[in-house]
Amino acid sequence: MKVKKRVLMILTLLLCLTTGLCWLIGGYIGESTANNLYMMSIDEESAFFNAKDITFLNEKKHPFTFIAKQYINISSGIIGGQAEIIGTNENFAYMKKLKILSGSFFNEIHIGKNSNVVVLSSGAAWHFFGNKQSVGNDIIIGNEKFQVVGVFEKDLAQEDEILLYMPFEKLNQLVSNELKVLDIWLQLDNISEVEPIIIDMGYLSNDIKIVEINQYKDIVMQRFKFIIFIVGIVIIIFLWKMILNNIRILKLEIIEFLKENYIRDIWSIFSNRKVLFKLLYSLTYILSALLIWKIIRFKPCMPSEFFMWRDYNFYVLRDMLDFYIQPNIGVPALQYLNHLNTVSNILFFLSILSATSILCVLFRRNLRNLVQDNDKLENKKNQSFI
């Protein structure tokens, strides 16, 4: 008995640990970007957006941001070298949820005045200036001097990466060739609003790949919700067995009480504390089960193509499983989240295994207790007849 209790305790601790970590990872990924983002990229090799597309979106006043990369020689006067510079707009810091350590990200005023400003990653600030408080210092990019207006903290596990951000228009002036815009991020209320924008930009909807960022957030957090759902079902099953056990005991108690005078004995049944407590316990179990069910219910995150199933076959279930456990977030700018997504998958399956094991232990233990209680009641019933 002690061994089973220890096993049950270890499984419970493992379940709490994996569930808690799964929730933390889901929360981190959920906070990695702003909500309602849709990433557009051209679904062809060696094909990218360009400056005309950016100008069009600026004119239409759509809330958006984008990424254009370029490697340029950089020098702080003492330390130099080639580094990656990203050209973007003022919305990037908000949509990517950059954590600014000092200063600020460049804004519309900087862009309007065509100012020579740049924002450094913490790794770049440390590399060029030896500290992360580099706001106000000058840095030479190409042959022009730029002022550092902000330092931001890089993504998880990429803190040492040397990276710089500057206004897209300024970066476009520094390079001789036309900048290639890798992807465009739109913040819209609904995915149906994306297609008209694509058509207005002069592209075919089939040529553009759209990634709904919120969907990936929901998938990761849904793993945590599904674990809670499984745990809740385990508790509900346990409560339901307690309810059935109480009803069985009450049935035998009532049969024992009902002998000669039914009216008198019925009143004595409900005035009996043992029977009354059994009724109250049963009612409490029922209300608890209903409350737990209300808490653990959740709306599954389902891709649109799975809403209407026409063929109930193995391939549909396989595709759905691939959708829920996919290891790749699918966004080049968020590749660091792939590792967290993989960890979330592992924790998810460990939690399911722990919850299933706990259910098996409780079921066997409860089944054994029920058999013992039934034997006792049957013996008591037989003795009363004798």
Side-chain angles (χ1 to χ4, degrees):
M1 184 65 68
K2 291 183 179 180
V3 175
K4 289 186 177 180
K5 285 184 178 180
R6 289 176 182 175
V7 170
L8 191 61
M9 185 178 297
I10 292 172
L11 289 172
T12 303
L13 290 174
L14 180 63
L15 179 62
C16 293
L17 179 63
T18 54
T19 304
L21 290 174
C22 202
W23 175 74
L24 289 174
I25 291 174
Y28 181 84
I29 293 178
E31 293 296 324
S32 61
T33 63
N35 292 325
N36 302 324
L37 291 184
Y38 300 91
M39 191 201 77
M40 300 191 309
S41 58
I42 299 179
D43 199 13
E44 293 181 18
E45 293 185 4
S46 303
F48 303 94
F49 296 108
N50 51 45
K52 293 181 180 178
D53 299 320
I54 303 304
T55 302
F56 170 82
L57 291 173
N58 280 325
E59 292 174 352
K60 294 295 182 179
K61 303 296 183 181
H62 291 301
F64 78 102
T65 192
F66 55 95
I67 293 175
K69 295 182 179 180
Q70 189 72 32
Y71 287 89
I72 304 178
N73 289 325
I74 299 173
S75 173
S76 62
I78 301 175
I79 300 175
Q82 200 174 59
E84 182 181 2
I85 300 180
I86 291 180
T88 185
N89 63 2
E90 72 281 0
N91 295 328
F92 188 86
Y94 159 70
M95 292 187 179
K96 275 296 302 307
K97 295 290 184 180
L98 290 184
K99 183 179 179 181
I100 304 298
L101 297 178
S102 60
S104 63
F105 205 75
F106 56 81
N107 52 42
E108 291 182 354
I109 298 175
H110 293 130
I111 296 174
K113 293 182 177 180
N114 199 28
S115 302
N116 285 7
V117 292
V118 68
V119 179
L120 307 182
S121 67
S122 55
W126 185 264
H127 176 77
F128 289 111
F129 299 104
N131 61 77
K132 297 181 180 181
Q133 305 297 323
S134 307
V135 175
N137 291 334
D138 292 330
I139 193 167
I140 299 172
I141 302 176
N143 296 319
E144 295 188 37
K145 185 182 291 186
F146 286 75
Q147 184 182 31
V148 177
V149 295
V151 177
F152 67 93
E153 187 176 48
K154 196 66 182 73
D155 300 324
L156 189 66
Q158 293 179 327
E159 294 181 357
D160 296 333
E161 187 176 5
I162 300 174
L163 193 64
L164 296 85
Y165 288 108
M166 70 166 54
F168 172 77
E169 292 77 8
K170 177 57 67 174
L171 181 60
N172 206 18
Q173 294 171 10
L174 290 177
V175 298
S176 56
N177 55 327
E178 184 180 12
L179 282 176
K180 298 175 181 178
V181 178
L182 304 180
D183 46 59
I184 296 175
W185 298 50
L186 292 164
Q187 188 174 38
L188 303 169
D189 294 330
N190 196 288
I191 193 171
S192 61
E193 299 178 30
V194 179
E195 188 170 355
I197 296 174
I198 293 173
I199 295 173
D200 290 342
M201 291 171 65
Y203 296 97
L204 298 175
S205 57
N206 294 332
D207 296 335
I208 304 297
K209 178 184 176 182
I210 303 173
V211 176
E212 187 176 354
I213 305 300
N214 273 15
Q215 193 174 76
Y216 290 95
K217 294 181 180 182
D218 292 341
I219 291 171
V220 179
M221 186 53 74
Q222 187 164 258
R223 293 180 189 135
F224 166 75
K225 293 178 181 178
F226 189 74
I227 295 167
I228 298 300
F229 178 79
I230 294 294
V231 173
I233 292 297
V234 170
I235 297 173
I236 288 174
I237 291 174
F238 182 74
L239 290 174
W240 181 249
K241 288 186 174 295
M242 296 292 291
I243 293 168
L244 293 178
N245 189 33
N246 281 347
I247 291 174
R248 194 177 290 107
I249 294 172
L250 281 172
K251 179 182 175 182
L252 294 173
E253 292 286 348
I254 291 173
I255 292 174
E256 185 179 350
F257 270 108
L258 294 177
K259 295 177 181 178
E260 296 178 358
N261 192 326
Y262 289 99
I263 297 177
R264 184 192 65 191
D265 287 336
I266 288 173
W267 174 255
S268 65
I269 288 173
F270 290 102
S271 62
N272 185 283
R273 287 186 177 182
K274 185 177 179 181
V275 175
L276 185 61
F277 281 138
K278 287 292 181 183
L279 286 172
L280 291 176
Y281 288 154
S282 299
L283 181 61
T284 302
Y285 293 149
I286 292 172
L287 292 176
S288 299
L290 292 174
L291 179 62
I292 291 172
W293 173 250
K294 190 171 183 180
I295 292 172
I296 66 175
R297 285 186 308 169
F298 67 95
K299 184 179 179 181
C301 170
M302 300 282 289
S304 57
E305 59 265 26
F306 291 122
F307 280 130
M308 297 297 292
W309 286 358
R310 295 184 180 180
D311 298 320
Y312 295 89
N313 54 40
F314 171 76
Y315 297 105
V316 173
L317 297 176
R318 184 196 63 186
D319 292 342
M320 285 189 61
L321 184 62
D322 288 341
F323 171 75
Y324 282 113
I325 65 174
Q326 53 189 313
N328 196 333
I329 293 294
V331 182
L334 300 178
Q335 287 300 319
Y336 69 97
L337 295 181
N338 288 339
H339 303 295
L340 290 178
N341 188 51
T342 302
V343 173
S344 175
N345 264 322
I346 296 172
L347 292 172
F348 172 72
F349 285 110
L350 281 175
S351 299
I352 296 299
L353 181 62
S354 301
T356 305
S357 302
I358 291 172
L359 178 59
C360 292
V361 172
L362 289 176
F363 179 78
R364 291 183 62 184
R365 183 179 177 183
N366 194 35
L367 185 63
R368 185 177 61 254
N369 292 337
L370 285 175
V371 172
Q372 292 174 356
D373 291 340
N374 286 335
D375 291 340
K376 289 179 181 178
L377 289 172
E378 288 294 333
N379 293 333
K380 187 176 180 181
K381 182 179 177 181
N382 293 332
Q383 290 175 2
S384 63
F385 280 122
I386 294 174

